Amino acid sequence: MNEPSHHVVVVGAGFGGLEFTRALVGAPVRITMIDKRNHHLFQPLLYQVATTALATSEVAWPIRHLLRKRKDVTTLLATVNGVDRAGKRVLLEDGGAVAYETLLLATGARHAYFGHDEWEPFAPGLKTLEDATTIRRRILLAFELAERETDPAKRQALLTLAIVGGGPTGVELAGTIVELAHVTLRREFRNIDTRQTRVVLIEAGDRILPNFAPKLSDYAKKALERLGVTVELGRPVTRCDAEGVVFGETHLPARTILWAAGVAASPAAEWLGAAADRAGRVLVEPDLTVPGSPEIFVIGDAAHALRPDGRMVPGVAPAAKQQGWHVAATIKARLVGDATPRPFRYKHDGDLATIGKRAAAIDFGWIKLTGWPAWWLWGLAHIYFLIGFRNRLAVSLSWLWIYVTGQRSARLITQGDDDKS
């Protein structure tokens, strides 16, 4: 049997790229998967790595292992820095190139600082495993430094953590950090009372979880405040530095600042020389192709795709997976001679956010849940979407242990830029 000649190149092994590759199983194509990291990351639980609840290996899996049974897939560890549309080549940072007949860009997003990139050293975002371990290091080092600090004002600044952005990531970080400080660590220090830790969630808008129904946003705010989080609304951040954060007219001395406020797309639009929105997402056609290049598709956080009502498809994992399946179906149709454009139709499955270990908010549109039942449903949904029985079991046991004892096992401070001693 002749080897399939149609060559598909996928850049990015996130939710969209991996789902696309899975959906092409059995199709008469050769696939080359390119990613600058060797692992697929389950990003919805990344904040739990940052807050010591889970280990890195529980939320990430080697790409080669995931695709080991797919003889039609070649995996390359490489960094893409351009696309030659005329020559149909993906350009690599090391000077190499990979030719394609069909190209899928599923390159995700990075955090954005609204024109203030100088804030990044003081307020790291959370998109990669490296981000998560950096944040974990900074949080744990803050307590260690506070234990040795004799100046009350400096000690309080060390015990103050500011989180910028009131979306699901910010809300989940705030609730978990409070529990880490108030429960897990409270008997482990001698010179400080970790229950004096102050966590401040800063949101420029008039409510947190703005994509949820207003009553769920209100519930989440009250649930965070019951845990001990201070929620500040309606005042955008105007400065971040080593001394703290300024929002509105208020200066908050905080040695640890975490950024959960904005995202920018990967450089896919720059690689293509294509039109993009303000966040850098490629303005794609209804069938997710790049204008003028029907052989190039862009999905996930890298794409600005519209629903029939004119709203943008959200940058969430379910949307990326649906887009991956859609593009795979389009390619299969093309291979049998059907080149009819296939507009993408997004089905919104709902919004979920957890608030500590006993509360959550879930908005399915037709039903809205809060509290303990929502927390259990949130947990079951995330365990279901993890890859492999071993990881489902490991995460389930970690959560059960935290739920019963309040203790978190992944509290290692690893060497990094914040630890030069």
Side-chain angles (χ1 to χ4, degrees), residues 316-319 322 346-352 362-366 385:
V316 294
Q322 290 177 35
Y346 170 61
K347 179 183 178 183
H348 187 57
D349 294 326
D351 295 305
L352 302 88
I362 294 179
D363 188 350
F364 290 137
W366 57 278
F385 285 111

Side-chain angles (χ1 to χ4, degrees), residues 13-15 18 39-62 66 126-130 132-133 136 378 382-383 385-388 390-392 394-396 398-399 410:
F15 288 107
L18 203 60
H39 55 266
H40 167 75
L41 177 63
F42 190 79
Q43 207 169 67
L45 292 181
L46 191 57
Y47 81 96
Q48 296 210 0
V49 175
T51 54
T52 78
L54 297 176
T56 55
S57 60
E58 292 173 326
V59 301
W61 306 273
L66 296 178
L126 186 58
K127 288 293 180 185
T128 67
L129 282 182
E130 294 85 353
T133 54
R136 181 180 68 190
W378 174 92
H382 283 73
I383 289 170
F385 285 111
L386 288 170
I387 298 174
R390 177 188 173 278
N391 292 292
R392 294 187 183 109
V395 171
S396 299
S398 293
W399 285 351

Side-chain angles (χ1 to χ4, degrees), residues 25 47 55 129 142 184 199 222 294 315 322 341 353 366 403:
V25 64
Y47 81 96
L129 282 182
T184 304
V199 177
K222 291 177 180 177
Q322 290 177 35
W366 57 278
Y403 187 85

Side-chain angles (χ1 to χ4, degrees), residues 125-406:
L126 186 58
K127 288 293 180 185
T128 67
L129 282 182
E130 294 85 353
D131 294 336
T133 54
T134 294
I135 289 172
R136 181 180 68 190
R137 184 188 312 121
R138 292 193 182 193
I139 292 171
L140 294 176
L141 276 176
F143 292 107
E144 297 294 340
L145 294 172
E147 176 79 349
R148 296 168 49 195
E149 181 58 64
T150 57
D151 183 282
K154 292 180 179 179
R155 175 183 285 179
Q156 188 55 58
L158 286 164
L159 292 177
T160 300
L161 296 93
I163 301 167
V164 183
T169 299
V171 168
E172 290 169 343
L173 279 170
T176 309
I177 291 172
V178 162
E179 290 182 342
L180 170 68
H182 292 192
V183 180
T184 304
L185 299 178
R186 70 187 182 93
R187 289 192 174 95
E188 299 191 2
F189 291 84
R190 300 295 174 262
N191 299 323
I192 59 173
D193 181 355
T194 60
R195 291 172 295 182
Q196 299 302 311
T197 300
R198 187 182 181 203
V199 177
V200 182
L201 179 63
I202 304 167
E203 166 57 41
D206 59 1
R207 61 188 179 99
I208 60 174
L209 299 180
N211 292 333
F212 288 62
K215 71 175 185 178
L216 294 182
S217 297
D218 185 57
Y219 164 81
K221 179 176 182 291
K222 291 177 180 177
L224 286 174
E225 290 172 340
R226 283 195 296 271
L227 286 174
V229 177
T230 301
V231 180
E232 298 284 355
L233 300 175
R235 290 185 288 174
V237 167
T238 56
R239 192 176 82 216
C240 294
D241 56 29
E243 301 303 317
V245 59
V246 176
F247 54 99
E249 300 299 321
T250 301
H251 175 256
L252 176 69
R255 288 289 298 277
T256 303
I257 308 169
L258 307 180
W259 190 264
V263 297
S266 69
E270 299 173 22
W271 299 343
L272 297 167
D277 65 11
R278 293 178 61 184
R281 292 176 288 247
V282 178
L283 300 177
V284 296
E285 300 285 5
D287 62 353
L288 305 177
T289 59
V290 174
S293 295
E295 74 283 0
I296 303 178
F297 297 83
V298 184
I299 65 172
D301 288 329
H304 182 113
L306 297 179
R307 307 188 207 186
D309 62 5
R311 291 181 298 159
M312 193 179 79
V313 174
V316 294
K321 294 173 78 169
Q322 290 177 35
Q323 289 173 331
W325 275 99
H326 176 85
V327 174
T330 298
I331 291 173
K332 289 177 180 178
R334 288 181 179 182
L335 290 172
V336 296
D338 181 2
T340 305
R342 300 164 49 88
F344 172 68
R345 295 287 184 265
Y346 170 61
K347 179 183 178 183
H348 187 57
D349 294 326
D351 295 305
L352 302 88
T354 184
I355 308 148
K357 68 178 184 180
R358 291 185 178 88
I362 294 179
D363 188 350
F364 290 137
W366 57 278
I367 187 172
K368 297 171 176 59
L369 295 174
T370 59
W372 186 77
W375 184 84
W376 277 101
L377 184 57
W378 174 92
L380 290 171
H382 283 73
I383 289 170
Y384 173 79
F385 285 111
L386 288 170
I387 298 174
F389 174 78
R390 177 188 173 278
N391 292 292
R392 294 187 183 109
L393 179 62
V395 171
S396 299
L397 291 176
S398 293
W399 285 351
L400 179 62
W401 184 252
I402 293 169
Y403 187 85
V404 173
T405 69

